[in-house]
Amino acid sequence: MRRTFALLVLALSAVLPSAHAAIAPPAYLLQWGTAGSDPGQFAFAHHLASTPGGQVYVGDLLNARVQRFDGSGGFLGQWGTSGDAPGQFRDPDGVAVAPGGDVYVVSAHKVQRFTASGSFVLGWGSQGSSPGQFQNPIDVAVDADGFVYVADWGNYRIQKFTASGVFVSQWGSRGSGDGQFTLPFGVATDPAGHVFVSDADGRIQKFSSVGGFLQKFGTAGTGPGQFDFPGRVAVDPHGWIVVPDQGNHRIQVFRPGGGFEVAWGSHGTGAGQFDHPTCVASDAAGNLFVMDKDNSRVQKFAPLAVPTAVEDRDALDGIELANAGANPLSEDATIRFAVPAEGWVRLELLVATGRCVRQERAWRSAGAHTQSLALRNDRGGPMPAGVYFVRLSAAGRARSIKLVTFGQR
């Protein structure tokens, strides 16, 4: 009869000092694109979007079209010509991919929705300042529930719509205060429903899905965490925030709580260099696609090597995680956790290398919970002696605790 594993659970306060584990800049993988009007070429393209599987859509502004590529830059198709009819564009800029695969594109004073292959579905908008009208909309994002957010540049606001273009709400005004904008350049969402808006004055602001101001980070400048006109952000699968820093010709990475982590890039045309990068997108695997605007190309980078055992304290924001069992434990670990808001919660059992061997996902209310987590892999097999981590992911943030097994007899 197998004896129970003896498990030592190291308190998070003991293994996580106030310092955090630094991550390295991601590895450069490949690039595609040159200046021009042929397939695979770009003219003043600012924004791109990626699907979970890694296909990339580029709003090719001066060529009045949207181009579609596979994850290695292989040309898959294009659509659009210059004009005002449905399916035509006046300076197409922001693009976004909806959960179902449809593609939204903003151009002069309107939003258009297409199938993944470019067939026109519907459109809305006109020039003006009333709800549902626009003054040079520059970017668009779609959240996990299908709601559409538009950065209405000339009206200094964000507008929210249903998937069919019905106006829901708006927020913002001209200014430098919280919830105000100098020029809202980019809008993005994360899986938890938060909305990130990059502003020309050097700030990234984070909002709830209904426009409630949550936090901000960044100032104008050239130092770490400062910007010379930030572009549209990407939130990778771990919740880390990746921001193009246009005038400083680099990409900056921030922890989920907004603290600066690392930057990479310099001004130039070489691999991993940039000339006014304007947009970043992440696929489900964490690969990063950068719109390198003035080099007329897209660069692809490997996923960030985010530590699995260490999460910075400024990322937690109400997330708590601990072991509630005695030592020695049974084969099921009893995990105690608390989350700040109702939503999906994922518990993962990781080996020391960071590979997930078991996960459980459930909808939880705000507050404290206790849950049993079997110390077995997803095939039901027992876990051998060694070091493990339990990672809790909720509300776009994560926290981990360390488990050490001392063997079995």
Side-chain angles (χ1 to χ4, degrees):
M1 181 177 180
R2 184 191 320 129
R3 291 190 60 181
T4 301
F5 286 178
L7 297 165
L8 174 63
V9 179
L10 302 179
L12 203 63
S13 59
V15 294
L16 294 188
S18 58
H20 61 278
I23 63 173
Y28 166 85
L29 297 178
L30 56 89
Q31 63 180 281
W32 71 88
T34 57
S37 58
D38 291 335
Q41 295 184 315
F42 306 112
F44 210 56
H46 284 80
H47 288 103
L48 53 74
S50 64
T51 68
Q55 290 190 6
V56 176
Y57 294 85
V58 177
D60 192 4
L61 191 144
L62 294 185
N63 285 322
R65 65 185 178 185
V66 173
Q67 296 194 68
R68 180 186 181 193
F69 304 89
D70 65 26
S72 297
F75 178 77
L76 298 177
Q78 65 181 36
W79 70 87
T81 58
S82 181
D84 297 312
Q88 294 183 317
F89 302 114
R90 298 283 185 190
D91 300 332
D93 204 341
V95 292
V97 180
D102 279 1
V103 179
Y104 290 83
V105 185
V106 292
S107 56
H109 317 307
K110 63 182 178 182
V111 180
Q112 297 187 75
R113 176 180 168 187
F114 301 86
T115 66
S117 58
S119 297
F120 177 80
V121 177
L122 57 88
W124 71 89
S126 60
Q127 186 171 10
S129 58
S130 298
Q133 293 185 311
F134 305 104
Q135 189 66 42
N136 296 315
I138 196 167
D139 199 17
V140 60
V142 185
D143 68 16
D145 295 320
F147 287 103
V148 180
Y149 302 84
V150 179
D152 190 3
W153 172 298
N155 285 319
Y156 307 96
R157 65 184 177 184
I158 302 298
Q159 295 196 66
K160 180 179 179 179
F161 301 89
T162 67
S164 57
V166 177
F167 175 82
V168 176
S169 62
Q170 66 181 25
W171 69 88
S173 60
R174 187 173 186 175
S176 57
D178 295 345
Q180 294 184 309
F181 306 110
T182 301
L183 283 175
F185 178 82
V187 60
T189 62
D190 68 10
H194 302 122
V195 181
F196 296 83
V197 182
S198 54
D199 202 346
D201 63 3
R203 292 180 300 163
I204 305 296
Q205 296 188 70
K206 180 180 178 181
F207 301 89
S208 70
S209 62
V210 295
F213 175 82
L214 298 176
Q215 69 175 118
K216 62 184 176 183
F217 56 92
T219 58
T222 60
Q226 296 182 318
F227 301 101
D228 182 359
F229 205 137
R232 187 222 276 175
V233 311
V235 181
D236 87 340
H238 297 281
W240 292 59
I241 305 162
V242 187
V243 189
D245 186 2
Q246 298 187 48
N248 289 320
H249 312 291
R250 63 186 178 184
I251 309 297
Q252 299 197 64
V253 179
F254 296 81
R255 299 184 291 278
F260 171 80
E261 178 65 26
V262 71
W264 82 92
S266 60
H267 193 198
T269 60
Q273 293 185 307
F274 306 103
D275 191 351
H276 290 90
T278 51
C279 181
V280 181
S282 172
D283 64 16
N287 293 300
L288 299 171
F289 301 91
V290 179
M291 190 69 243
D292 190 4
K293 177 177 70 73
D294 288 348
N295 280 325
S296 300
R297 65 183 179 183
V298 176
Q299 295 195 65
K300 181 179 180 180
F301 296 85
L304 297 168
V306 176
T308 58
V310 180
E311 304 288 350
D312 195 287
R313 291 185 182 277
D314 71 2
L316 306 184
D317 295 342
I319 300 290
E320 298 177 7
L321 175 65
N323 171 61
N327 279 314
L329 296 178
S330 68
E331 291 183 354
D332 287 352
T334 301
I335 303 300
R336 184 177 65 250
F337 63 90
V339 292
E342 182 180 24
W344 285 106
V345 172
R346 184 172 70 248
L347 280 172
E348 299 170 281
L349 182 63
L350 310 172
V351 296
T353 61
R355 180 172 59 88
C356 177
V357 295
R358 184 178 185 84
Q359 65 173 306
E360 298 179 9
R361 189 169 181 261
W363 185 270
R364 298 293 188 183
S365 60
H369 301 272
T370 300
Q371 181 171 332
S372 177
L373 182 66
L375 299 177
R376 292 176 172 268
N377 59 36
D378 281 336
R379 298 183 299 276
M383 302 305 300
V387 177
Y388 298 90
F389 301 97
V390 174
R391 181 168 64 196
L392 169 72
S393 301
R397 298 177 292 278
R399 191 168 188 176
S400 301
I401 56 175
K402 184 177 182 180
L403 306 178
V404 180
T405 73
F406 291 107
Q408 67 181 112
R409 296 177 184 172

PDB file of all heavy atoms in Angstrom, residues 199-234:
ATOM      1  N   ASP A 199      -2.281  56.693 -24.483  1.00  0.00           N
ATOM      2  CA  ASP A 199      -2.524  58.112 -24.735  1.00  0.00           C
ATOM      3  C   ASP A 199      -1.238  58.773 -25.216  1.00  0.00           C
ATOM      4  O   ASP A 199      -0.139  58.406 -24.783  1.00  0.00           O
ATOM      5  CB  ASP A 199      -3.014  58.786 -23.457  1.00  0.00           C
ATOM      6  CG  ASP A 199      -3.780  60.069 -23.711  1.00  0.00           C
ATOM      7  OD1 ASP A 199      -3.715  60.580 -24.841  1.00  0.00           O
ATOM      8  OD2 ASP A 199      -4.437  60.567 -22.781  1.00  0.00           O
ATOM      9  N   ALA A 200      -1.372  59.749 -26.077  1.00  0.00           N
ATOM     10  CA  ALA A 200      -0.212  60.408 -26.668  1.00  0.00           C
ATOM     11  C   ALA A 200       0.662  61.103 -25.633  1.00  0.00           C
ATOM     12  O   ALA A 200       1.833  61.383 -25.905  1.00  0.00           O
ATOM     13  CB  ALA A 200      -0.668  61.420 -27.723  1.00  0.00           C
ATOM     14  N   ASP A 201       0.128  61.383 -24.440  1.00  0.00           N
ATOM     15  CA  ASP A 201       0.919  62.089 -23.428  1.00  0.00           C
ATOM     16  C   ASP A 201       1.840  61.170 -22.635  1.00  0.00           C
ATOM     17  O   ASP A 201       2.498  61.615 -21.700  1.00  0.00           O
ATOM     18  CB  ASP A 201       0.011  62.867 -22.483  1.00  0.00           C
ATOM     19  CG  ASP A 201      -0.930  61.992 -21.667  1.00  0.00           C
ATOM     20  OD1 ASP A 201      -0.840  60.756 -21.781  1.00  0.00           O
ATOM     21  OD2 ASP A 201      -1.764  62.527 -20.921  1.00  0.00           O
ATOM     22  N   GLY A 202       1.902  59.877 -23.006  1.00  0.00           N
ATOM     23  CA  GLY A 202       2.826  58.971 -22.339  1.00  0.00           C
ATOM     24  C   GLY A 202       2.208  58.072 -21.298  1.00  0.00           C
ATOM     25  O   GLY A 202       2.922  57.390 -20.565  1.00  0.00           O
ATOM     26  N   ARG A 203       0.877  58.012 -21.237  1.00  0.00           N
ATOM     27  CA  ARG A 203       0.207  57.187 -20.235  1.00  0.00           C
ATOM     28  C   ARG A 203      -0.478  55.980 -20.857  1.00  0.00           C
ATOM     29  O   ARG A 203      -0.959  56.036 -21.984  1.00  0.00           O
ATOM     30  CB  ARG A 203      -0.880  57.987 -19.507  1.00  0.00           C
ATOM     31  CG  ARG A 203      -0.414  59.110 -18.612  1.00  0.00           C
ATOM     32  CD  ARG A 203      -1.622  59.778 -17.973  1.00  0.00           C
ATOM     33  NE  ARG A 203      -2.534  60.344 -18.982  1.00  0.00           N
ATOM     34  CZ  ARG A 203      -3.802  60.690 -18.735  1.00  0.00           C
ATOM     35  NH1 ARG A 203      -4.313  60.506 -17.538  1.00  0.00           N
ATOM     36  NH2 ARG A 203      -4.548  61.223 -19.693  1.00  0.00           N
ATOM     37  N   ILE A 204      -0.541  54.904 -20.068  1.00  0.00           N
ATOM     38  CA  ILE A 204      -1.461  53.800 -20.326  1.00  0.00           C
ATOM     39  C   ILE A 204      -2.480  53.834 -19.194  1.00  0.00           C
ATOM     40  O   ILE A 204      -2.108  53.799 -18.016  1.00  0.00           O
ATOM     41  CB  ILE A 204      -0.747  52.436 -20.343  1.00  0.00           C
ATOM     42  CG1 ILE A 204       0.405  52.437 -21.352  1.00  0.00           C
ATOM     43  CG2 ILE A 204      -1.740  51.327 -20.636  1.00  0.00           C
ATOM     44  CD1 ILE A 204      -0.018  52.625 -22.786  1.00  0.00           C
ATOM     45  N   GLN A 205      -3.761  53.897 -19.532  1.00  0.00           N
ATOM     46  CA  GLN A 205      -4.812  53.861 -18.527  1.00  0.00           C
ATOM     47  C   GLN A 205      -5.585  52.549 -18.650  1.00  0.00           C
ATOM     48  O   GLN A 205      -5.821  52.047 -19.742  1.00  0.00           O
ATOM     49  CB  GLN A 205      -5.769  55.040 -18.689  1.00  0.00           C
ATOM     50  CG  GLN A 205      -5.110  56.398 -18.470  1.00  0.00           C
ATOM     51  CD  GLN A 205      -6.125  57.524 -18.438  1.00  0.00           C
ATOM     52  OE1 GLN A 205      -6.917  57.654 -17.506  1.00  0.00           O
ATOM     53  NE2 GLN A 205      -6.115  58.357 -19.469  1.00  0.00           N
ATOM     54  N   LYS A 206      -5.976  52.030 -17.498  1.00  0.00           N
ATOM     55  CA  LYS A 206      -6.722  50.772 -17.426  1.00  0.00           C
ATOM     56  C   LYS A 206      -8.106  51.055 -16.858  1.00  0.00           C
ATOM     57  O   LYS A 206      -8.244  51.735 -15.837  1.00  0.00           O
ATOM     58  CB  LYS A 206      -5.966  49.779 -16.544  1.00  0.00           C
ATOM     59  CG  LYS A 206      -6.639  48.422 -16.382  1.00  0.00           C
ATOM     60  CD  LYS A 206      -5.786  47.526 -15.486  1.00  0.00           C
ATOM     61  CE  LYS A 206      -6.425  46.176 -15.239  1.00  0.00           C
ATOM     62  NZ  LYS A 206      -5.594  45.323 -14.346  1.00  0.00           N
ATOM     63  N   PHE A 207      -9.124  50.504 -17.518  1.00  0.00           N
ATOM     64  CA  PHE A 207     -10.515  50.734 -17.136  1.00  0.00           C
ATOM     65  C   PHE A 207     -11.248  49.404 -16.986  1.00  0.00           C
ATOM     66  O   PHE A 207     -10.836  48.381 -17.532  1.00  0.00           O
ATOM     67  CB  PHE A 207     -11.236  51.573 -18.200  1.00  0.00           C
ATOM     68  CG  PHE A 207     -10.641  52.913 -18.461  1.00  0.00           C
ATOM     69  CD1 PHE A 207      -9.647  53.076 -19.426  1.00  0.00           C
ATOM     70  CD2 PHE A 207     -11.049  54.036 -17.753  1.00  0.00           C
ATOM     71  CE1 PHE A 207      -9.088  54.314 -19.680  1.00  0.00           C
ATOM     72  CE2 PHE A 207     -10.495  55.278 -17.997  1.00  0.00           C
ATOM     73  CZ  PHE A 207      -9.516  55.426 -18.965  1.00  0.00           C
ATOM     74  N   SER A 208     -12.349  49.456 -16.271  1.00  0.00           N
ATOM     75  CA  SER A 208     -13.267  48.324 -16.290  1.00  0.00           C
ATOM     76  C   SER A 208     -14.003  48.311 -17.621  1.00  0.00           C
ATOM     77  O   SER A 208     -13.903  49.257 -18.417  1.00  0.00           O
ATOM     78  CB  SER A 208     -14.276  48.440 -15.143  1.00  0.00           C
ATOM     79  OG  SER A 208     -15.189  49.506 -15.395  1.00  0.00           O
ATOM     80  N   SER A 209     -14.773  47.273 -17.877  1.00  0.00           N
ATOM     81  CA  SER A 209     -15.481  47.169 -19.148  1.00  0.00           C
ATOM     82  C   SER A 209     -16.577  48.216 -19.303  1.00  0.00           C
ATOM     83  O   SER A 209     -17.079  48.416 -20.408  1.00  0.00           O
ATOM     84  CB  SER A 209     -16.084  45.773 -19.302  1.00  0.00           C
ATOM     85  OG  SER A 209     -17.035  45.537 -18.276  1.00  0.00           O
ATOM     86  N   VAL A 210     -16.936  48.888 -18.206  1.00  0.00           N
ATOM     87  CA  VAL A 210     -17.953  49.950 -18.284  1.00  0.00           C
ATOM     88  C   VAL A 210     -17.319  51.332 -18.167  1.00  0.00           C
ATOM     89  O   VAL A 210     -18.015  52.335 -17.987  1.00  0.00           O
ATOM     90  CB  VAL A 210     -19.051  49.761 -17.218  1.00  0.00           C
ATOM     91  CG1 VAL A 210     -19.831  48.496 -17.492  1.00  0.00           C
ATOM     92  CG2 VAL A 210     -18.451  49.740 -15.811  1.00  0.00           C
ATOM     93  N   GLY A 211     -15.988  51.401 -18.232  1.00  0.00           N
ATOM     94  CA  GLY A 211     -15.309  52.687 -18.248  1.00  0.00           C
ATOM     95  C   GLY A 211     -14.856  53.202 -16.909  1.00  0.00           C
ATOM     96  O   GLY A 211     -14.398  54.343 -16.817  1.00  0.00           O
ATOM     97  N   GLY A 212     -14.961  52.391 -15.866  1.00  0.00           N
ATOM     98  CA  GLY A 212     -14.475  52.830 -14.561  1.00  0.00           C
ATOM     99  C   GLY A 212     -12.959  52.850 -14.527  1.00  0.00           C
ATOM    100  O   GLY A 212     -12.314  51.849 -14.846  1.00  0.00           O
ATOM    101  N   PHE A 213     -12.390  53.990 -14.133  1.00  0.00           N
ATOM    102  CA  PHE A 213     -10.929  54.114 -14.088  1.00  0.00           C
ATOM    103  C   PHE A 213     -10.381  53.209 -12.996  1.00  0.00           C
ATOM    104  O   PHE A 213     -10.843  53.226 -11.852  1.00  0.00           O
ATOM    105  CB  PHE A 213     -10.535  55.565 -13.817  1.00  0.00           C
ATOM    106  CG  PHE A 213      -9.045  55.760 -13.625  1.00  0.00           C
ATOM    107  CD1 PHE A 213      -8.204  55.865 -14.716  1.00  0.00           C
ATOM    108  CD2 PHE A 213      -8.503  55.821 -12.350  1.00  0.00           C
ATOM    109  CE1 PHE A 213      -6.837  56.023 -14.546  1.00  0.00           C
ATOM    110  CE2 PHE A 213      -7.141  55.993 -12.169  1.00  0.00           C
ATOM    111  CZ  PHE A 213      -6.301  56.094 -13.272  1.00  0.00           C
ATOM    112  N   LEU A 214      -9.340  52.427 -13.331  1.00  0.00           N
ATOM    113  CA  LEU A 214      -8.735  51.498 -12.392  1.00  0.00           C
ATOM    114  C   LEU A 214      -7.308  51.877 -12.022  1.00  0.00           C
ATOM    115  O   LEU A 214      -6.950  51.870 -10.847  1.00  0.00           O
ATOM    116  CB  LEU A 214      -8.746  50.079 -12.970  1.00  0.00           C
ATOM    117  CG  LEU A 214     -10.130  49.477 -13.260  1.00  0.00           C
ATOM    118  CD1 LEU A 214      -9.984  48.108 -13.918  1.00  0.00           C
ATOM    119  CD2 LEU A 214     -10.960  49.379 -11.987  1.00  0.00           C
ATOM    120  N   GLN A 215      -6.482  52.192 -13.008  1.00  0.00           N
ATOM    121  CA  GLN A 215      -5.100  52.544 -12.714  1.00  0.00           C
ATOM    122  C   GLN A 215      -4.466  53.169 -13.954  1.00  0.00           C
ATOM    123  O   GLN A 215      -5.052  53.175 -15.042  1.00  0.00           O
ATOM    124  CB  GLN A 215      -4.289  51.306 -12.295  1.00  0.00           C
ATOM    125  CG  GLN A 215      -4.055  50.317 -13.422  1.00  0.00           C
ATOM    126  CD  GLN A 215      -3.163  49.169 -13.020  1.00  0.00           C
ATOM    127  OE1 GLN A 215      -3.594  48.033 -13.040  1.00  0.00           O
ATOM    128  NE2 GLN A 215      -1.909  49.430 -12.670  1.00  0.00           N
ATOM    129  N   LYS A 216      -3.255  53.682 -13.769  1.00  0.00           N
ATOM    130  CA  LYS A 216      -2.482  54.223 -14.892  1.00  0.00           C
ATOM    131  C   LYS A 216      -1.014  53.972 -14.625  1.00  0.00           C
ATOM    132  O   LYS A 216      -0.586  53.784 -13.475  1.00  0.00           O
ATOM    133  CB  LYS A 216      -2.739  55.726 -15.061  1.00  0.00           C
ATOM    134  CG  LYS A 216      -2.312  56.567 -13.868  1.00  0.00           C
ATOM    135  CD  LYS A 216      -2.689  58.033 -14.061  1.00  0.00           C
ATOM    136  CE  LYS A 216      -2.334  58.830 -12.803  1.00  0.00           C
ATOM    137  NZ  LYS A 216      -2.753  60.244 -12.925  1.00  0.00           N
ATOM    138  N   PHE A 217      -0.237  53.946 -15.678  1.00  0.00           N
ATOM    139  CA  PHE A 217       1.216  53.887 -15.529  1.00  0.00           C
ATOM    140  C   PHE A 217       1.843  54.539 -16.741  1.00  0.00           C
ATOM    141  O   PHE A 217       1.247  54.605 -17.812  1.00  0.00           O
ATOM    142  CB  PHE A 217       1.731  52.454 -15.337  1.00  0.00           C
ATOM    143  CG  PHE A 217       1.332  51.477 -16.418  1.00  0.00           C
ATOM    144  CD1 PHE A 217       2.139  51.264 -17.515  1.00  0.00           C
ATOM    145  CD2 PHE A 217       0.156  50.767 -16.311  1.00  0.00           C
ATOM    146  CE1 PHE A 217       1.784  50.360 -18.508  1.00  0.00           C
ATOM    147  CE2 PHE A 217      -0.218  49.844 -17.297  1.00  0.00           C
ATOM    148  CZ  PHE A 217       0.598  49.654 -18.395  1.00  0.00           C
ATOM    149  N   GLY A 218       3.078  55.049 -16.534  1.00  0.00           N
ATOM    150  CA  GLY A 218       3.802  55.699 -17.607  1.00  0.00           C
ATOM    151  C   GLY A 218       3.735  57.210 -17.545  1.00  0.00           C
ATOM    152  O   GLY A 218       2.747  57.795 -17.112  1.00  0.00           O
ATOM    153  N   THR A 219       4.824  57.838 -17.966  1.00  0.00           N
ATOM    154  CA  THR A 219       4.897  59.289 -18.132  1.00  0.00           C
ATOM    155  C   THR A 219       5.710  59.550 -19.393  1.00  0.00           C
ATOM    156  O   THR A 219       6.317  58.636 -19.963  1.00  0.00           O
ATOM    157  CB  THR A 219       5.584  59.966 -16.936  1.00  0.00           C
ATOM    158  OG1 THR A 219       6.910  59.413 -16.784  1.00  0.00           O
ATOM    159  CG2 THR A 219       4.801  59.761 -15.650  1.00  0.00           C
ATOM    160  N   ALA A 220       5.744  60.785 -19.824  1.00  0.00           N
ATOM    161  CA  ALA A 220       6.550  61.142 -20.986  1.00  0.00           C
ATOM    162  C   ALA A 220       8.029  61.115 -20.610  1.00  0.00           C
ATOM    163  O   ALA A 220       8.422  61.546 -19.526  1.00  0.00           O
ATOM    164  CB  ALA A 220       6.156  62.519 -21.498  1.00  0.00           C
ATOM    165  N   GLY A 221       8.870  60.600 -21.486  1.00  0.00           N
ATOM    166  CA  GLY A 221      10.296  60.575 -21.228  1.00  0.00           C
ATOM    167  C   GLY A 221      10.981  59.438 -21.951  1.00  0.00           C
ATOM    168  O   GLY A 221      10.393  58.771 -22.816  1.00  0.00           O
ATOM    169  N   THR A 222      12.224  59.201 -21.580  1.00  0.00           N
ATOM    170  CA  THR A 222      13.034  58.178 -22.245  1.00  0.00           C
ATOM    171  C   THR A 222      13.500  57.087 -21.295  1.00  0.00           C
ATOM    172  O   THR A 222      14.152  56.142 -21.730  1.00  0.00           O
ATOM    173  CB  THR A 222      14.268  58.816 -22.902  1.00  0.00           C
ATOM    174  OG1 THR A 222      15.058  59.468 -21.885  1.00  0.00           O
ATOM    175  CG2 THR A 222      13.862  59.849 -23.945  1.00  0.00           C
ATOM    176  N   GLY A 223      13.207  57.208 -20.019  1.00  0.00           N
ATOM    177  CA  GLY A 223      13.666  56.218 -19.053  1.00  0.00           C
ATOM    178  C   GLY A 223      12.783  54.989 -19.023  1.00  0.00           C
ATOM    179  O   GLY A 223      11.757  54.902 -19.715  1.00  0.00           O
ATOM    180  N   PRO A 224      13.153  53.991 -18.207  1.00  0.00           N
ATOM    181  CA  PRO A 224      12.308  52.804 -18.054  1.00  0.00           C
ATOM    182  C   PRO A 224      10.907  53.187 -17.573  1.00  0.00           C
ATOM    183  O   PRO A 224      10.754  53.968 -16.638  1.00  0.00           O
ATOM    184  CB  PRO A 224      13.054  51.983 -16.997  1.00  0.00           C
ATOM    185  CG  PRO A 224      14.469  52.441 -17.090  1.00  0.00           C
ATOM    186  CD  PRO A 224      14.387  53.900 -17.426  1.00  0.00           C
ATOM    187  N   GLY A 225       9.907  52.640 -18.222  1.00  0.00           N
ATOM    188  CA  GLY A 225       8.532  52.956 -17.837  1.00  0.00           C
ATOM    189  C   GLY A 225       8.027  54.275 -18.366  1.00  0.00           C
ATOM    190  O   GLY A 225       6.882  54.648 -18.091  1.00  0.00           O
ATOM    191  N   GLN A 226       8.858  55.002 -19.128  1.00  0.00           N
ATOM    192  CA  GLN A 226       8.434  56.255 -19.747  1.00  0.00           C
ATOM    193  C   GLN A 226       8.274  56.053 -21.249  1.00  0.00           C
ATOM    194  O   GLN A 226       8.820  55.110 -21.815  1.00  0.00           O
ATOM    195  CB  GLN A 226       9.447  57.362 -19.459  1.00  0.00           C
ATOM    196  CG  GLN A 226       9.576  57.721 -17.990  1.00  0.00           C
ATOM    197  CD  GLN A 226      10.552  58.860 -17.768  1.00  0.00           C
ATOM    198  OE1 GLN A 226      11.621  58.902 -18.375  1.00  0.00           O
ATOM    199  NE2 GLN A 226      10.199  59.790 -16.899  1.00  0.00           N
ATOM    200  N   PHE A 227       7.507  56.960 -21.871  1.00  0.00           N
ATOM    201  CA  PHE A 227       7.189  56.792 -23.281  1.00  0.00           C
ATOM    202  C   PHE A 227       7.340  58.092 -24.063  1.00  0.00           C
ATOM    203  O   PHE A 227       7.096  59.179 -23.539  1.00  0.00           O
ATOM    204  CB  PHE A 227       5.736  56.325 -23.448  1.00  0.00           C
ATOM    205  CG  PHE A 227       5.402  55.031 -22.778  1.00  0.00           C
ATOM    206  CD1 PHE A 227       4.724  55.006 -21.571  1.00  0.00           C
ATOM    207  CD2 PHE A 227       5.767  53.825 -23.349  1.00  0.00           C
ATOM    208  CE1 PHE A 227       4.406  53.823 -20.956  1.00  0.00           C
ATOM    209  CE2 PHE A 227       5.460  52.622 -22.740  1.00  0.00           C
ATOM    210  CZ  PHE A 227       4.763  52.618 -21.542  1.00  0.00           C
ATOM    211  N   ASP A 228       7.685  57.921 -25.316  1.00  0.00           N
ATOM    212  CA  ASP A 228       7.533  58.969 -26.310  1.00  0.00           C
ATOM    213  C   ASP A 228       6.436  58.493 -27.258  1.00  0.00           C
ATOM    214  O   ASP A 228       6.710  57.928 -28.302  1.00  0.00           O
ATOM    215  CB  ASP A 228       8.856  59.206 -27.054  1.00  0.00           C
ATOM    216  CG  ASP A 228       8.764  60.334 -28.080  1.00  0.00           C
ATOM    217  OD1 ASP A 228       7.675  60.924 -28.225  1.00  0.00           O
ATOM    218  OD2 ASP A 228       9.781  60.600 -28.745  1.00  0.00           O
ATOM    219  N   PHE A 229       5.175  58.655 -26.808  1.00  0.00           N
ATOM    220  CA  PHE A 229       3.981  58.262 -27.544  1.00  0.00           C
ATOM    221  C   PHE A 229       3.812  56.741 -27.553  1.00  0.00           C
ATOM    222  O   PHE A 229       4.257  56.050 -28.476  1.00  0.00           O
ATOM    223  CB  PHE A 229       4.017  58.789 -28.978  1.00  0.00           C
ATOM    224  CG  PHE A 229       2.643  58.967 -29.600  1.00  0.00           C
ATOM    225  CD1 PHE A 229       2.364  60.100 -30.339  1.00  0.00           C
ATOM    226  CD2 PHE A 229       1.651  58.006 -29.485  1.00  0.00           C
ATOM    227  CE1 PHE A 229       1.109  60.282 -30.929  1.00  0.00           C
ATOM    228  CE2 PHE A 229       0.402  58.162 -30.054  1.00  0.00           C
ATOM    229  CZ  PHE A 229       0.134  59.298 -30.787  1.00  0.00           C
ATOM    230  N   PRO A 230       3.163  56.168 -26.551  1.00  0.00           N
ATOM    231  CA  PRO A 230       2.944  54.717 -26.538  1.00  0.00           C
ATOM    232  C   PRO A 230       1.944  54.288 -27.606  1.00  0.00           C
ATOM    233  O   PRO A 230       1.012  55.025 -27.949  1.00  0.00           O
ATOM    234  CB  PRO A 230       2.386  54.463 -25.136  1.00  0.00           C
ATOM    235  CG  PRO A 230       1.735  55.760 -24.756  1.00  0.00           C
ATOM    236  CD  PRO A 230       2.581  56.837 -25.384  1.00  0.00           C
ATOM    237  N   GLY A 231       2.140  53.084 -28.129  1.00  0.00           N
ATOM    238  CA  GLY A 231       1.215  52.522 -29.106  1.00  0.00           C
ATOM    239  C   GLY A 231       0.227  51.589 -28.453  1.00  0.00           C
ATOM    240  O   GLY A 231       0.096  51.529 -27.226  1.00  0.00           O
ATOM    241  N   ARG A 232      -0.473  50.825 -29.290  1.00  0.00           N
ATOM    242  CA  ARG A 232      -1.477  49.907 -28.761  1.00  0.00           C
ATOM    243  C   ARG A 232      -0.823  48.715 -28.068  1.00  0.00           C
ATOM    244  O   ARG A 232       0.057  48.062 -28.602  1.00  0.00           O
ATOM    245  CB  ARG A 232      -2.391  49.391 -29.859  1.00  0.00           C
ATOM    246  CG  ARG A 232      -3.553  48.562 -29.264  1.00  0.00           C
ATOM    247  CD  ARG A 232      -3.846  47.329 -30.060  1.00  0.00           C
ATOM    248  NE  ARG A 232      -4.713  47.647 -31.159  1.00  0.00           N
ATOM    249  CZ  ARG A 232      -5.055  46.773 -32.094  1.00  0.00           C
ATOM    250  NH1 ARG A 232      -4.571  45.541 -32.052  1.00  0.00           N
ATOM    251  NH2 ARG A 232      -5.835  47.122 -33.084  1.00  0.00           N
ATOM    252  N   VAL A 233      -1.290  48.409 -26.857  1.00  0.00           N
ATOM    253  CA  VAL A 233      -0.685  47.374 -26.036  1.00  0.00           C
ATOM    254  C   VAL A 233      -1.217  45.998 -26.414  1.00  0.00           C
ATOM    255  O   VAL A 233      -2.250  45.853 -27.076  1.00  0.00           O
ATOM    256  CB  VAL A 233      -0.962  47.621 -24.539  1.00  0.00           C
ATOM    257  CG1 VAL A 233      -0.641  49.054 -24.162  1.00  0.00           C
ATOM    258  CG2 VAL A 233      -2.402  47.286 -24.180  1.00  0.00           C
ATOM    259  N   ALA A 234      -0.491  44.977 -25.980  1.00  0.00           N
ATOM    260  CA  ALA A 234      -0.965  43.599 -25.993  1.00  0.00           C
ATOM    261  C   ALA A 234      -0.862  43.063 -24.578  1.00  0.00           C
ATOM    262  O   ALA A 234       0.062  43.417 -23.836  1.00  0.00           O
ATOM    263  CB  ALA A 234      -0.143  42.741 -26.947  1.00  0.00           C
TER     264      ALA A 234
END
